[in-house]
Amino acid sequence: MKLRSDLILRKMGDEHVIVDPSQDVVDMSKVYTLNETAAFIWNELQGIEFDIQVIAGVIFDNYDVEFSQALMDATILIENFSKEDLLES
């Protein structure tokens, strides 16, 4: 899988917001924000093919968690990205 290449992550104040630059008018009901960890992972995954193991590896290598926890967190992140249509089809 891959992140949608038409989306941009922007930092606005303390928030990390996914922006669709093709929208003329921003629909605030469809704004997706990321926490610091998810924003870091988003940046690590830009432009590459990845799977749950890659995401878990990023989490495991950069945060003080067991690999089993990193896998659970990666699963949740992929589910959220998929639900919000942030992945390429």
mmCIF file of all heavy atoms in Angstrom, residues 26-74:
data_model
loop_
_atom_site.group_PDB
_atom_site.id
_atom_site.type_symbol
_atom_site.label_atom_id
_atom_site.label_comp_id
_atom_site.label_asym_id
_atom_site.label_seq_id
_atom_site.Cartn_x
_atom_site.Cartn_y
_atom_site.Cartn_z
ATOM 1 N N VAL A 26 -12.130 24.381 1.284
ATOM 2 C CA VAL A 26 -11.843 23.350 2.271
ATOM 3 C C VAL A 26 -13.117 22.969 3.000
ATOM 4 O O VAL A 26 -13.816 23.821 3.531
ATOM 5 C CB VAL A 26 -10.781 23.833 3.281
ATOM 6 C CG1 VAL A 26 -10.560 22.788 4.360
ATOM 7 C CG2 VAL A 26 -9.485 24.154 2.575
ATOM 8 N N ASP A 27 -13.421 21.688 2.992
ATOM 9 C CA ASP A 27 -14.566 21.155 3.720
ATOM 10 C C ASP A 27 -14.075 20.790 5.109
ATOM 11 O O ASP A 27 -13.428 19.760 5.300
ATOM 12 C CB ASP A 27 -15.123 19.929 2.988
ATOM 13 C CG ASP A 27 -16.330 19.321 3.682
ATOM 14 O OD1 ASP A 27 -16.692 19.784 4.784
ATOM 15 O OD2 ASP A 27 -16.909 18.384 3.110
ATOM 16 N N MET A 28 -14.366 21.637 6.102
ATOM 17 C CA MET A 28 -13.841 21.432 7.455
ATOM 18 C C MET A 28 -14.402 20.181 8.118
ATOM 19 O O MET A 28 -13.856 19.714 9.106
ATOM 20 C CB MET A 28 -14.105 22.666 8.325
ATOM 21 C CG MET A 28 -13.341 23.904 7.878
ATOM 22 S SD MET A 28 -11.547 23.647 7.769
ATOM 23 C CE MET A 28 -11.105 23.600 9.487
ATOM 24 N N SER A 29 -15.469 19.605 7.581
ATOM 25 C CA SER A 29 -16.000 18.368 8.153
ATOM 26 C C SER A 29 -15.139 17.169 7.735
ATOM 27 O O SER A 29 -15.292 16.090 8.273
ATOM 28 C CB SER A 29 -17.456 18.144 7.727
ATOM 29 O OG SER A 29 -17.522 17.861 6.344
ATOM 30 N N LYS A 30 -14.217 17.382 6.785
ATOM 31 C CA LYS A 30 -13.371 16.299 6.291
ATOM 32 C C LYS A 30 -11.884 16.525 6.587
ATOM 33 O O LYS A 30 -11.046 15.905 5.979
ATOM 34 C CB LYS A 30 -13.575 16.119 4.787
ATOM 35 C CG LYS A 30 -14.955 15.648 4.424
ATOM 36 C CD LYS A 30 -15.073 15.412 2.956
ATOM 37 C CE LYS A 30 -16.483 14.939 2.625
ATOM 38 N NZ LYS A 30 -16.650 14.712 1.204
ATOM 39 N N VAL A 31 -11.588 17.415 7.521
ATOM 40 C CA VAL A 31 -10.199 17.649 7.900
ATOM 41 C C VAL A 31 -9.723 16.487 8.755
ATOM 42 O O VAL A 31 -10.434 16.019 9.631
ATOM 43 C CB VAL A 31 -10.056 18.986 8.659
ATOM 44 C CG1 VAL A 31 -8.668 19.132 9.247
ATOM 45 C CG2 VAL A 31 -10.373 20.151 7.745
ATOM 46 N N TYR A 32 -8.515 16.008 8.485
ATOM 47 C CA TYR A 32 -7.956 14.902 9.248
ATOM 48 C C TYR A 32 -6.698 15.385 9.937
ATOM 49 O O TYR A 32 -5.785 15.885 9.290
ATOM 50 C CB TYR A 32 -7.654 13.720 8.328
ATOM 51 C CG TYR A 32 -7.359 12.468 9.087
ATOM 52 C CD1 TYR A 32 -8.375 11.753 9.709
ATOM 53 C CD2 TYR A 32 -6.065 12.005 9.219
ATOM 54 C CE1 TYR A 32 -8.107 10.604 10.427
ATOM 55 C CE2 TYR A 32 -5.787 10.845 9.922
ATOM 56 C CZ TYR A 32 -6.816 10.154 10.530
ATOM 57 O OH TYR A 32 -6.543 9.015 11.241
ATOM 58 N N THR A 33 -6.664 15.283 11.254
ATOM 59 C CA THR A 33 -5.489 15.699 12.005
ATOM 60 C C THR A 33 -4.730 14.475 12.511
ATOM 61 O O THR A 33 -5.325 13.422 12.748
ATOM 62 C CB THR A 33 -5.869 16.601 13.198
ATOM 63 O OG1 THR A 33 -6.735 15.881 14.078
ATOM 64 C CG2 THR A 33 -6.554 17.866 12.729
ATOM 65 N N LEU A 34 -3.426 14.642 12.659
ATOM 66 C CA LEU A 34 -2.567 13.581 13.156
ATOM 67 C C LEU A 34 -1.857 14.056 14.421
ATOM 68 O O LEU A 34 -1.498 15.231 14.518
ATOM 69 C CB LEU A 34 -1.507 13.213 12.120
ATOM 70 C CG LEU A 34 -1.975 12.761 10.742
ATOM 71 C CD1 LEU A 34 -0.770 12.496 9.848
ATOM 72 C CD2 LEU A 34 -2.845 11.527 10.837
ATOM 73 N N ASN A 35 -1.612 13.128 15.346
ATOM 74 C CA ASN A 35 -0.784 13.480 16.491
ATOM 75 C C ASN A 35 0.685 13.452 16.050
ATOM 76 O O ASN A 35 0.997 13.106 14.905
ATOM 77 C CB ASN A 35 -1.068 12.563 17.691
ATOM 78 C CG ASN A 35 -0.710 11.114 17.442
ATOM 79 O OD1 ASN A 35 0.123 10.778 16.605
ATOM 80 N ND2 ASN A 35 -1.342 10.216 18.175
ATOM 81 N N GLU A 36 1.592 13.817 16.965
ATOM 82 C CA GLU A 36 3.017 13.897 16.626
ATOM 83 C C GLU A 36 3.553 12.567 16.084
ATOM 84 O O GLU A 36 4.298 12.542 15.104
ATOM 85 C CB GLU A 36 3.831 14.298 17.856
ATOM 86 C CG GLU A 36 3.697 15.746 18.248
ATOM 87 C CD GLU A 36 4.441 16.692 17.315
ATOM 88 O OE1 GLU A 36 5.462 16.308 16.720
ATOM 89 O OE2 GLU A 36 3.973 17.839 17.190
ATOM 90 N N THR A 37 3.182 11.463 16.715
ATOM 91 C CA THR A 37 3.673 10.151 16.295
ATOM 92 C C THR A 37 3.162 9.794 14.907
ATOM 93 O O THR A 37 3.934 9.374 14.032
ATOM 94 C CB THR A 37 3.256 9.073 17.311
ATOM 95 O OG1 THR A 37 3.764 9.425 18.598
ATOM 96 C CG2 THR A 37 3.780 7.703 16.906
ATOM 97 N N ALA A 38 1.863 9.954 14.677
ATOM 98 C CA ALA A 38 1.290 9.639 13.367
ATOM 99 C C ALA A 38 1.873 10.541 12.285
ATOM 100 O O ALA A 38 2.126 10.085 11.162
ATOM 101 C CB ALA A 38 -0.231 9.759 13.410
ATOM 102 N N ALA A 39 2.119 11.818 12.613
ATOM 103 C CA ALA A 39 2.725 12.735 11.640
ATOM 104 C C ALA A 39 4.147 12.299 11.303
ATOM 105 O O ALA A 39 4.559 12.330 10.136
ATOM 106 C CB ALA A 39 2.718 14.160 12.186
ATOM 107 N N PHE A 40 4.898 11.847 12.313
ATOM 108 C CA PHE A 40 6.255 11.346 12.063
ATOM 109 C C PHE A 40 6.205 10.137 11.126
ATOM 110 O O PHE A 40 6.961 10.059 10.150
ATOM 111 C CB PHE A 40 6.932 10.970 13.390
ATOM 112 C CG PHE A 40 8.257 10.304 13.213
ATOM 113 C CD1 PHE A 40 9.383 11.055 12.908
ATOM 114 C CD2 PHE A 40 8.387 8.926 13.318
ATOM 115 C CE1 PHE A 40 10.617 10.437 12.726
ATOM 116 C CE2 PHE A 40 9.609 8.302 13.135
ATOM 117 C CZ PHE A 40 10.732 9.060 12.839
ATOM 118 N N ILE A 41 5.291 9.206 11.411
ATOM 119 C CA ILE A 41 5.162 8.004 10.576
ATOM 120 C C ILE A 41 4.730 8.387 9.171
ATOM 121 O O ILE A 41 5.248 7.860 8.175
ATOM 122 C CB ILE A 41 4.199 6.991 11.219
ATOM 123 C CG1 ILE A 41 4.802 6.486 12.544
ATOM 124 C CG2 ILE A 41 3.895 5.836 10.279
ATOM 125 C CD1 ILE A 41 3.827 5.740 13.426
ATOM 126 N N TRP A 42 3.780 9.323 9.036
ATOM 127 C CA TRP A 42 3.331 9.803 7.725
ATOM 128 C C TRP A 42 4.533 10.274 6.905
ATOM 129 O O TRP A 42 4.690 9.907 5.742
ATOM 130 C CB TRP A 42 2.325 10.944 7.903
ATOM 131 C CG TRP A 42 1.822 11.532 6.625
ATOM 132 C CD1 TRP A 42 2.408 12.522 5.892
ATOM 133 C CD2 TRP A 42 0.628 11.174 5.924
ATOM 134 N NE1 TRP A 42 1.651 12.805 4.773
ATOM 135 C CE2 TRP A 42 0.553 11.992 4.778
ATOM 136 C CE3 TRP A 42 -0.396 10.252 6.161
ATOM 137 C CZ2 TRP A 42 -0.497 11.909 3.873
ATOM 138 C CZ3 TRP A 42 -1.442 10.175 5.253
ATOM 139 C CH2 TRP A 42 -1.484 10.998 4.120
ATOM 140 N N ASN A 43 5.387 11.077 7.522
ATOM 141 C CA ASN A 43 6.566 11.583 6.817
ATOM 142 C C ASN A 43 7.529 10.467 6.439
ATOM 143 O O ASN A 43 8.125 10.504 5.359
ATOM 144 C CB ASN A 43 7.273 12.653 7.661
ATOM 145 C CG ASN A 43 6.512 13.963 7.647
ATOM 146 O OD1 ASN A 43 5.920 14.348 6.648
ATOM 147 N ND2 ASN A 43 6.513 14.652 8.776
ATOM 148 N N GLU A 44 7.675 9.469 7.294
ATOM 149 C CA GLU A 44 8.551 8.337 6.997
ATOM 150 C C GLU A 44 8.022 7.498 5.829
ATOM 151 O O GLU A 44 8.807 6.877 5.114
ATOM 152 C CB GLU A 44 8.704 7.440 8.231
ATOM 153 C CG GLU A 44 9.484 8.075 9.367
ATOM 154 C CD GLU A 44 10.943 8.279 9.022
ATOM 155 O OE1 GLU A 44 11.618 7.296 8.675
ATOM 156 O OE2 GLU A 44 11.407 9.445 9.103
ATOM 157 N N LEU A 45 6.717 7.465 5.631
ATOM 158 C CA LEU A 45 6.103 6.623 4.605
ATOM 159 C C LEU A 45 5.901 7.330 3.268
ATOM 160 O O LEU A 45 5.479 6.696 2.295
ATOM 161 C CB LEU A 45 4.744 6.106 5.106
ATOM 162 C CG LEU A 45 4.765 5.253 6.371
ATOM 163 C CD1 LEU A 45 3.341 4.897 6.780
ATOM 164 C CD2 LEU A 45 5.616 4.016 6.192
ATOM 165 N N GLN A 46 6.200 8.611 3.198
ATOM 166 C CA GLN A 46 5.984 9.374 1.973
ATOM 167 C C GLN A 46 6.706 8.756 0.789
ATOM 168 O O GLN A 46 7.910 8.497 0.839
ATOM 169 C CB GLN A 46 6.466 10.819 2.154
ATOM 170 C CG GLN A 46 5.516 11.682 2.926
ATOM 171 C CD GLN A 46 4.205 11.858 2.192
ATOM 172 O OE1 GLN A 46 4.167 12.268 1.029
ATOM 173 N NE2 GLN A 46 3.126 11.555 2.870
ATOM 174 N N GLY A 47 5.943 8.476 -0.270
ATOM 175 C CA GLY A 47 6.511 8.031 -1.541
ATOM 176 C C GLY A 47 7.014 6.601 -1.590
ATOM 177 O O GLY A 47 7.665 6.227 -2.562
ATOM 178 N N ILE A 48 6.731 5.800 -0.563
ATOM 179 C CA ILE A 48 7.206 4.413 -0.581
ATOM 180 C C ILE A 48 6.039 3.437 -0.445
ATOM 181 O O ILE A 48 4.995 3.779 0.094
ATOM 182 C CB ILE A 48 8.236 4.122 0.540
ATOM 183 C CG1 ILE A 48 7.590 4.231 1.941
ATOM 184 C CG2 ILE A 48 9.442 5.041 0.418
ATOM 185 C CD1 ILE A 48 8.434 3.665 3.058
ATOM 186 N N GLU A 49 6.246 2.243 -0.948
ATOM 187 C CA GLU A 49 5.309 1.145 -0.708
ATOM 188 C C GLU A 49 5.585 0.623 0.696
ATOM 189 O O GLU A 49 6.744 0.528 1.102
ATOM 190 C CB GLU A 49 5.531 0.023 -1.720
ATOM 191 C CG GLU A 49 5.114 0.346 -3.124
ATOM 192 C CD GLU A 49 3.606 0.270 -3.320
ATOM 193 O OE1 GLU A 49 2.935 -0.463 -2.578
ATOM 194 O OE2 GLU A 49 3.120 0.953 -4.235
ATOM 195 N N PHE A 50 4.532 0.303 1.430
ATOM 196 C CA PHE A 50 4.719 -0.189 2.788
ATOM 197 C C PHE A 50 3.641 -1.194 3.136
ATOM 198 O O PHE A 50 2.628 -1.315 2.452
ATOM 199 C CB PHE A 50 4.727 0.966 3.795
ATOM 200 C CG PHE A 50 3.454 1.771 3.803
ATOM 201 C CD1 PHE A 50 2.384 1.402 4.609
ATOM 202 C CD2 PHE A 50 3.325 2.898 3.011
ATOM 203 C CE1 PHE A 50 1.210 2.135 4.612
ATOM 204 C CE2 PHE A 50 2.155 3.645 3.009
ATOM 205 C CZ PHE A 50 1.090 3.255 3.812
ATOM 206 N N ASP A 51 3.891 -1.917 4.208
ATOM 207 C CA ASP A 51 2.896 -2.819 4.770
ATOM 208 C C ASP A 51 2.949 -2.659 6.288
ATOM 209 O O ASP A 51 3.686 -1.808 6.799
ATOM 210 C CB ASP A 51 3.138 -4.265 4.335
ATOM 211 C CG ASP A 51 4.492 -4.803 4.752
ATOM 212 O OD1 ASP A 51 5.148 -4.221 5.646
ATOM 213 O OD2 ASP A 51 4.905 -5.839 4.197
ATOM 214 N N ILE A 52 2.196 -3.464 6.981
ATOM 215 C CA ILE A 52 2.122 -3.343 8.432
ATOM 216 C C ILE A 52 3.488 -3.551 9.091
ATOM 217 O O ILE A 52 3.811 -2.896 10.086
ATOM 218 C CB ILE A 52 1.065 -4.313 9.013
ATOM 219 C CG1 ILE A 52 0.784 -3.970 10.469
ATOM 220 C CG2 ILE A 52 1.477 -5.743 8.823
ATOM 221 C CD1 ILE A 52 -0.426 -4.672 11.033
ATOM 222 N N GLN A 53 4.307 -4.436 8.522
ATOM 223 C CA GLN A 53 5.634 -4.693 9.078
ATOM 224 C C GLN A 53 6.538 -3.457 8.990
ATOM 225 O O GLN A 53 7.312 -3.184 9.903
ATOM 226 C CB GLN A 53 6.293 -5.880 8.368
ATOM 227 C CG GLN A 53 5.587 -7.196 8.569
ATOM 228 C CD GLN A 53 5.729 -7.730 9.987
ATOM 229 O OE1 GLN A 53 6.737 -7.520 10.645
ATOM 230 N NE2 GLN A 53 4.709 -8.424 10.454
ATOM 231 N N VAL A 54 6.439 -2.727 7.894
ATOM 232 C CA VAL A 54 7.242 -1.513 7.722
ATOM 233 C C VAL A 54 6.838 -0.476 8.766
ATOM 234 O O VAL A 54 7.696 0.124 9.423
ATOM 235 C CB VAL A 54 7.091 -0.943 6.293
ATOM 236 C CG1 VAL A 54 7.714 0.442 6.176
ATOM 237 C CG2 VAL A 54 7.698 -1.895 5.274
ATOM 238 N N ILE A 55 5.533 -0.273 8.928
ATOM 239 C CA ILE A 55 5.059 0.699 9.921
ATOM 240 C C ILE A 55 5.475 0.271 11.322
ATOM 241 O O ILE A 55 5.959 1.089 12.112
ATOM 242 C CB ILE A 55 3.540 0.890 9.834
ATOM 243 C CG1 ILE A 55 3.159 1.490 8.481
ATOM 244 C CG2 ILE A 55 3.050 1.796 10.972
ATOM 245 C CD1 ILE A 55 1.672 1.560 8.237
ATOM 246 N N ALA A 56 5.300 -0.994 11.636
ATOM 247 C CA ALA A 56 5.697 -1.498 12.958
ATOM 248 C C ALA A 56 7.195 -1.292 13.169
ATOM 249 O O ALA A 56 7.622 -0.936 14.279
ATOM 250 C CB ALA A 56 5.321 -2.966 13.095
ATOM 251 N N GLY A 57 7.994 -1.486 12.133
ATOM 252 C CA GLY A 57 9.432 -1.259 12.227
ATOM 253 C C GLY A 57 9.775 0.185 12.526
ATOM 254 O O GLY A 57 10.656 0.474 13.341
ATOM 255 N N VAL A 58 9.072 1.107 11.876
ATOM 256 C CA VAL A 58 9.282 2.538 12.142
ATOM 257 C C VAL A 58 8.953 2.850 13.600
ATOM 258 O O VAL A 58 9.715 3.553 14.285
ATOM 259 C CB VAL A 58 8.425 3.413 11.192
ATOM 260 C CG1 VAL A 58 8.442 4.876 11.625
ATOM 261 C CG2 VAL A 58 8.909 3.273 9.754
ATOM 262 N N ILE A 59 7.839 2.329 14.069
ATOM 263 C CA ILE A 59 7.440 2.566 15.463
ATOM 264 C C ILE A 59 8.469 1.954 16.412
ATOM 265 O O ILE A 59 8.944 2.615 17.346
ATOM 266 C CB ILE A 59 6.035 2.000 15.727
ATOM 267 C CG1 ILE A 59 4.992 2.757 14.897
ATOM 268 C CG2 ILE A 59 5.693 2.065 17.220
ATOM 269 C CD1 ILE A 59 3.615 2.110 14.873
ATOM 270 N N PHE A 60 8.820 0.707 16.178
ATOM 271 C CA PHE A 60 9.755 -0.010 17.044
ATOM 272 C C PHE A 60 11.133 0.671 17.085
ATOM 273 O O PHE A 60 11.740 0.794 18.151
ATOM 274 C CB PHE A 60 9.896 -1.458 16.573
ATOM 275 C CG PHE A 60 10.816 -2.284 17.411
ATOM 276 C CD1 PHE A 60 10.430 -2.727 18.674
ATOM 277 C CD2 PHE A 60 12.077 -2.620 16.952
ATOM 278 C CE1 PHE A 60 11.279 -3.493 19.455
ATOM 279 C CE2 PHE A 60 12.934 -3.397 17.724
ATOM 280 C CZ PHE A 60 12.533 -3.821 18.981
ATOM 281 N N ASP A 61 11.609 1.124 15.928
ATOM 282 C CA ASP A 61 12.936 1.737 15.849
ATOM 283 C C ASP A 61 12.997 3.130 16.473
ATOM 284 O O ASP A 61 14.089 3.587 16.830
ATOM 285 C CB ASP A 61 13.395 1.844 14.387
ATOM 286 C CG ASP A 61 13.698 0.489 13.771
ATOM 287 O OD1 ASP A 61 13.855 -0.497 14.522
ATOM 288 O OD2 ASP A 61 13.757 0.419 12.522
ATOM 289 N N ASN A 62 11.857 3.810 16.590
ATOM 290 C CA ASN A 62 11.868 5.201 17.031
ATOM 291 C C ASN A 62 11.195 5.464 18.372
ATOM 292 O O ASN A 62 11.291 6.573 18.891
ATOM 293 C CB ASN A 62 11.227 6.081 15.958
ATOM 294 C CG ASN A 62 12.078 6.132 14.716
ATOM 295 O OD1 ASN A 62 13.065 6.855 14.657
ATOM 296 N ND2 ASN A 62 11.730 5.331 13.713
ATOM 297 N N TYR A 63 10.517 4.467 18.902
ATOM 298 C CA TYR A 63 9.804 4.646 20.164
ATOM 299 C C TYR A 63 10.114 3.464 21.081
ATOM 300 O O TYR A 63 10.430 2.379 20.624
ATOM 301 C CB TYR A 63 8.292 4.773 19.914
ATOM 302 C CG TYR A 63 7.972 5.978 19.066
ATOM 303 C CD1 TYR A 63 7.847 5.861 17.678
ATOM 304 C CD2 TYR A 63 7.835 7.237 19.630
ATOM 305 C CE1 TYR A 63 7.581 6.970 16.882
ATOM 306 C CE2 TYR A 63 7.568 8.353 18.841
ATOM 307 C CZ TYR A 63 7.449 8.207 17.479
ATOM 308 O OH TYR A 63 7.189 9.309 16.694
ATOM 309 N N ASP A 64 10.004 3.690 22.352
ATOM 310 C CA ASP A 64 10.338 2.668 23.349
ATOM 311 C C ASP A 64 9.136 1.754 23.577
ATOM 312 O O ASP A 64 8.410 1.899 24.568
ATOM 313 C CB ASP A 64 10.760 3.356 24.652
ATOM 314 C CG ASP A 64 11.273 2.376 25.677
ATOM 315 O OD1 ASP A 64 11.729 1.288 25.291
ATOM 316 O OD2 ASP A 64 11.203 2.695 26.883
ATOM 317 N N VAL A 65 8.904 0.836 22.616
ATOM 318 C CA VAL A 65 7.790 -0.115 22.708
ATOM 319 C C VAL A 65 8.277 -1.497 22.273
ATOM 320 O O VAL A 65 9.254 -1.623 21.531
ATOM 321 C CB VAL A 65 6.584 0.296 21.835
ATOM 322 C CG1 VAL A 65 5.978 1.605 22.294
ATOM 323 C CG2 VAL A 65 6.958 0.359 20.367
ATOM 324 N N GLU A 66 7.583 -2.516 22.743
ATOM 325 C CA GLU A 66 7.841 -3.882 22.276
ATOM 326 C C GLU A 66 7.336 -4.010 20.842
ATOM 327 O O GLU A 66 6.414 -3.293 20.428
ATOM 328 C CB GLU A 66 7.104 -4.894 23.162
ATOM 329 C CG GLU A 66 7.564 -4.899 24.598
ATOM 330 C CD GLU A 66 8.972 -5.430 24.762
ATOM 331 O OE1 GLU A 66 9.367 -6.325 23.986
ATOM 332 O OE2 GLU A 66 9.687 -4.927 25.649
ATOM 333 N N PHE A 67 7.905 -4.945 20.076
ATOM 334 C CA PHE A 67 7.479 -5.099 18.686
ATOM 335 C C PHE A 67 6.008 -5.506 18.592
ATOM 336 O O PHE A 67 5.301 -5.064 17.689
ATOM 337 C CB PHE A 67 8.365 -6.101 17.935
ATOM 338 C CG PHE A 67 8.166 -6.015 16.448
ATOM 339 C CD1 PHE A 67 8.720 -4.974 15.730
ATOM 340 C CD2 PHE A 67 7.411 -6.966 15.777
ATOM 341 C CE1 PHE A 67 8.527 -4.869 14.358
ATOM 342 C CE2 PHE A 67 7.214 -6.873 14.407
ATOM 343 C CZ PHE A 67 7.771 -5.820 13.697
ATOM 344 N N SER A 68 5.525 -6.299 19.541
ATOM 345 C CA SER A 68 4.113 -6.706 19.526
ATOM 346 C C SER A 68 3.200 -5.486 19.664
ATOM 347 O O SER A 68 2.166 -5.391 19.001
ATOM 348 C CB SER A 68 3.818 -7.725 20.619
ATOM 349 O OG SER A 68 4.102 -7.183 21.896
ATOM 350 N N GLN A 69 3.600 -4.522 20.501
ATOM 351 C CA GLN A 69 2.823 -3.285 20.646
ATOM 352 C C GLN A 69 2.908 -2.446 19.375
ATOM 353 O O GLN A 69 1.926 -1.861 18.939
ATOM 354 C CB GLN A 69 3.310 -2.470 21.850
ATOM 355 C CG GLN A 69 2.518 -1.193 22.080
ATOM 356 C CD GLN A 69 1.063 -1.454 22.411
ATOM 357 O OE1 GLN A 69 0.776 -2.244 23.300
ATOM 358 N NE2 GLN A 69 0.150 -0.795 21.719
ATOM 359 N N ALA A 70 4.099 -2.410 18.771
ATOM 360 C CA ALA A 70 4.273 -1.671 17.516
ATOM 361 C C ALA A 70 3.371 -2.239 16.426
ATOM 362 O O ALA A 70 2.775 -1.483 15.644
ATOM 363 C CB ALA A 70 5.737 -1.709 17.079
ATOM 364 N N LEU A 71 3.227 -3.565 16.371
ATOM 365 C CA LEU A 71 2.326 -4.196 15.395
ATOM 366 C C LEU A 71 0.873 -3.812 15.641
ATOM 367 O O LEU A 71 0.132 -3.519 14.695
ATOM 368 C CB LEU A 71 2.462 -5.717 15.440
ATOM 369 C CG LEU A 71 3.582 -6.330 14.628
ATOM 370 C CD1 LEU A 71 3.702 -7.814 14.923
ATOM 371 C CD2 LEU A 71 3.362 -6.101 13.142
ATOM 372 N N MET A 72 0.456 -3.790 16.908
ATOM 373 C CA MET A 72 -0.921 -3.392 17.225
ATOM 374 C C MET A 72 -1.159 -1.934 16.843
ATOM 375 O O MET A 72 -2.197 -1.597 16.261
ATOM 376 C CB MET A 72 -1.221 -3.618 18.709
ATOM 377 C CG MET A 72 -1.363 -5.082 19.067
ATOM 378 S SD MET A 72 -1.953 -5.368 20.746
ATOM 379 C CE MET A 72 -0.558 -4.821 21.714
ATOM 380 N N ASP A 73 -0.192 -1.072 17.160
ATOM 381 C CA ASP A 73 -0.322 0.344 16.810
ATOM 382 C C ASP A 73 -0.346 0.544 15.298
ATOM 383 O O ASP A 73 -1.115 1.367 14.781
ATOM 384 C CB ASP A 73 0.814 1.146 17.432
ATOM 385 C CG ASP A 73 0.761 1.192 18.951
ATOM 386 O OD1 ASP A 73 -0.300 0.845 19.527
ATOM 387 O OD2 ASP A 73 1.779 1.563 19.571
ATOM 388 N N ALA A 74 0.478 -0.220 14.578
ATOM 389 C CA ALA A 74 0.510 -0.125 13.118
ATOM 390 C C ALA A 74 -0.829 -0.554 12.517
ATOM 391 O O ALA A 74 -1.322 0.059 11.566
ATOM 392 C CB ALA A 74 1.647 -0.974 12.565
#
